[in-house]
Amino acid sequence: MPPGGGGPMKDCEYSQISTHSSSPMESPHKKKKIAARRKWEVFPGRNKFFCNGRIMMARQTGVFYLTLILILVTSGLFFAFDCRYLAEKITPAIPVVGGILFFFVMGTLLRTSFSDPGVLPRATPDEAADLERQIDIANGTSSGGYRPPPRTKEVVINGQTVKLKYCFTCKIFRPPRASHCSLCDNCVEQFDHHCPWVGNCVGKRNYRFFYMFILSLSFLTVFIFAFVITHVIHRSQQKGFLDALKDSPASVLEAVICFFSVWSIIGLSGFHTYLISSNQTTNEDIKGSWSNKRGKENYNPYSYGNIFTNCCVALCGPISPSLIDRRGYVQPDTPQPAAPSNGITMYGATQSQSDMCDQDQCIQSTKFVLQAAATPLLQSEPSLTSEELHMPGKPGLGTPCASLTLGQPTPPSSMPNLATEATLSDIMPLKDEHGGHQFLTPDEAPSPPRMLGAGSPLAHSRTMHMLGLASQDSLHEDSVRGLVKLSSV
């Protein structure tokens, strides 16, 4: 091959061949690509999401910001005004321990506030309908009668009967220990309570972080309050009490904040320590679900009977995955199949030609159906003159056609081409003799009118002339038979 032989080959361009035709109603250039949406964007609950769904919080976050301000301001004042003096006069370990407690408190607070507490996904319309159907079958309720809404189911857990309540918002039977939060509008698994201080519900997936937050916060509060008092006392011994307050006014503010908050924080920590040791939730304890007042046989089926085991399960057990998949993509609706192009397939067509042919096919298909309804599909000679009727060797009117050219419809045998009314009277009795018509095969079905040649014997004027000569009853009978045969094919 010569060195320049590859030049013409590089200039060749190949276009993609369209091997299928789209629906006439579809225009490819009009299709718009819909951007995929994530599930957190269409989440039905009253929650706020940040960082593309990675952070999940309740909508009421004002108290959460107050919590952040109190912790940051108090700790900041402590590290700025007290830790410097305490590190020089007492020990440098004080700011180190205070820093560790501070970062642990902030980490557990953000982990509790920004995580999924264990929200249960709502039932889809199909699942809700199936659940209603199962309830109808179980209750034996007729469709015409009034049926009260389903309320509870009963299950047995460790020998204790537990009722499962039906949630009318989520359309599900809540699992054991789950409850619906009215603020977040979600069913939460192992629901404890909704805490405005952390700006989120407290449930199965973030309870351990909530407990570690309030426990570490109680230690941090006691730590700051104790060393603020130590700082003031140490300064008052050198300069007096009033001079000590003047030298460190921030210590007064820190002491006031810690004094009024330490009691509630310590009390809350002790209460949840009791709940963890007995493997209960705040919701169950407030309702008295496992209280002995309800009967001697009433006991907590979720307790392991050992305080150490209950604490290990609550604090060291595996964390269940999130059930809502908030960062997943919303699955689009199943696309409808394209309409058939009435058996016509185009090969080697470009995109513009395909669009034009689709419109032509739609028009031709409509005309084709109308002509098939008006023209009876009966087999006979294409055209016969009065002289050919009596010629020897020629087939008669009742004789099937020996060959038929595809694409040219055949006129009915009850409408031959006649020259005079006398021959019409001679031919009409033949219809009774040959009453059984022979239909065309599917391959010999008439083509659309557009495929007929200009010189076709079935021109419009000649067809109208033949219809005027034929009998109306015979035309109607043959047309109905042709339609039935066409629909059966």
Side-chain angles (χ1 to χ4, degrees):
M1 178 181 293
M9 296 299 295
K10 294 182 180 180
D11 296 337
C12 295
E13 295 182 357
Y14 298 92
S15 59
Q16 187 176 3
I17 297 177
S18 176
T19 58
H20 66 280
S21 60
S22 58
S23 173
M25 301 304 293
E26 295 181 356
S27 297
H29 62 276
K30 293 184 179 180
K31 294 181 180 179
K32 296 182 179 179
K33 185 178 180 180
I34 301 176
R37 304 181 64 186
R38 294 188 183 269
K39 293 183 179 179
W40 66 267
E41 298 179 285
V42 295
F43 189 72
R46 291 195 289 265
N47 294 88
K48 292 192 300 185
F49 297 87
F50 305 94
C51 299
N52 199 15
R54 292 179 176 87
I55 297 176
M56 177 181 181
M57 298 183 67
R59 290 186 181 178
Q60 298 82 6
T61 55
V63 183
F64 166 72
Y65 296 131
L66 177 61
T67 305
L68 282 178
I69 292 174
L70 289 175
I71 296 175
L72 292 175
V73 169
T74 305
S75 301
L77 293 176
F78 175 73
F79 289 116
F81 295 96
D82 297 289
C83 284
R84 182 183 302 176
Y85 179 85
L86 294 172
E88 294 176 357
K89 299 297 181 179
I90 301 178
T91 175
I94 294 176
V96 175
V97 175
I100 294 175
L101 287 175
F102 171 75
F103 284 109
F104 190 83
V105 167
M106 292 302 299
T108 53
L109 171 62
L110 298 179
R111 182 66 171 82
T112 305
S113 303
F114 294 164
S115 61
D116 171 23
V119 175
L120 296 171
R122 302 190 181 189
T124 62
D126 294 338
E127 293 173 347
D130 184 68
L131 182 60
E132 292 288 342
R133 193 181 306 110
Q134 293 178 8
I135 295 173
D136 291 339
I137 296 175
N139 297 339
T141 309
S142 60
S143 58
Y146 171 78
R147 175 180 60 83
R151 294 297 302 174
T152 59
K153 279 185 178 181
E154 291 186 352
V155 295
V156 178
I157 300 177
N158 294 331
Q160 184 73 25
T161 302
V162 179
K163 291 184 178 180
L164 307 182
K165 294 184 178 180
Y166 181 81
C167 179
F168 293 97
T169 303
C170 302
K171 305 297 182 182
I172 60 172
F173 276 101
R174 293 192 288 263
R177 314 187 80 178
S179 183
H180 191 88
C181 177
S182 58
L183 296 177
C184 296
D185 199 25
N186 295 315
C187 279
V188 180
E189 192 175 6
Q190 201 169 328
F191 178 76
D192 190 87
H193 69 289
H194 181 91
C195 182
W197 296 98
V198 300
N200 203 350
C201 288
V202 179
K204 183 178 181 179
R205 298 191 69 251
N206 64 348
Y207 180 77
R208 68 178 61 183
F209 303 105
F210 171 78
Y211 176 74
M212 287 188 283
F213 162 68
I214 58 176
L215 187 63
S216 60
L217 182 60
S218 62
F219 284 120
L220 179 62
T221 306
V222 172
F223 181 84
I224 293 176
F225 182 73
F227 282 100
V228 164
I229 299 299
T230 303
H231 179 205
V232 173
I233 293 175
H234 198 275
R235 277 184 177 271
S236 63
Q237 292 177 354
Q238 298 176 355
K239 300 180 180 181
F241 182 73
L242 295 178
D243 293 337
L245 295 180
K246 291 179 181 180
D247 293 340
S248 181
S251 300
V252 180
L253 180 60
E254 298 170 35
V256 171
I257 295 175
C258 292
F259 177 79
F260 286 101
S261 60
V262 68
W263 310 109
S264 59
I265 297 174
I266 292 177
L268 187 62
S269 301
F271 174 69
H272 280 278
T273 302
Y274 155 74
L275 293 178
I276 288 180
S277 62
S278 59
N279 203 347
Q280 292 187 82
T281 63
T282 303
N283 189 41
E284 293 170 347
D285 184 76
I286 293 176
K287 293 181 178 179
S289 302
W290 318 121
S291 176
N292 294 330
K293 296 180 180 179
R294 295 193 175 186
K296 295 182 179 180
E297 297 181 355
N298 190 36
Y299 59 91
N300 184 6
Y302 308 108
S303 177
Y304 292 91
N306 188 347
I307 296 177
F308 180 76
T309 305
N310 290 335
C311 293
C312 289
V313 170
L315 300 177
C316 303
I319 301 177
S320 59
S322 178
L323 300 177
I324 55 177
D325 188 23
R326 55 188 183 272
R327 299 196 68 244
Y329 289 98
V330 178
Q331 296 296 331
D333 296 336
T334 304
Q336 297 294 331
S341 56
N342 66 65
I344 301 177
T345 307
M346 297 179 298
Y347 298 93
T350 61
Q351 189 66 36
S352 59
Q353 292 176 349
S354 175
D355 297 340
M356 297 176 60
C357 292
D358 288 341
Q359 298 177 1
D360 294 340
Q361 290 172 14
C362 182
I363 298 174
Q364 291 178 5
S365 300
T366 305
K367 291 182 179 180
F368 172 57
V369 172
L370 294 177
Q371 170 131 358
T375 305
L377 302 178
L378 301 176
Q379 188 176 12
S380 65
E381 287 290 330
S383 177
L384 291 176
T385 60
S386 58
E387 298 177 358
E388 291 175 341
L389 293 175
H390 305 286
M391 291 178 61
K394 292 286 183 177
L397 289 176
T399 307
C401 194
S403 63
L404 181 65
T405 303
L406 184 61
Q408 296 184 359
T410 307
S413 59
S414 58
M415 295 181 295
N417 185 17
L418 301 179
T420 59
E421 295 183 0
T423 55
L424 176 62
S425 60
D426 296 336
I427 299 302
M428 290 303 292
L430 294 177
K431 182 180 181 302
D432 299 332
E433 297 177 4
H434 304 279
H437 299 289
Q438 185 174 358
F439 292 97
L440 295 176
T441 62
D443 296 334
E444 297 172 344
S447 302
R450 188 172 179 177
M451 300 178 62
L452 296 176
S456 174
L458 290 179
H460 179 69
S461 58
R462 188 167 185 176
T463 302
M464 297 302 296
H465 177 68
M466 290 160 54
L467 289 174
L469 297 176
S471 174
Q472 296 296 333
D473 296 338
S474 176
L475 175 62
H476 178 70
E477 178 184 357
D478 295 339
S479 299
V480 171
R481 289 182 179 180
L483 274 178
V484 172
K485 181 61 179 178
L486 181 62
S487 61
S488 63
V489 172

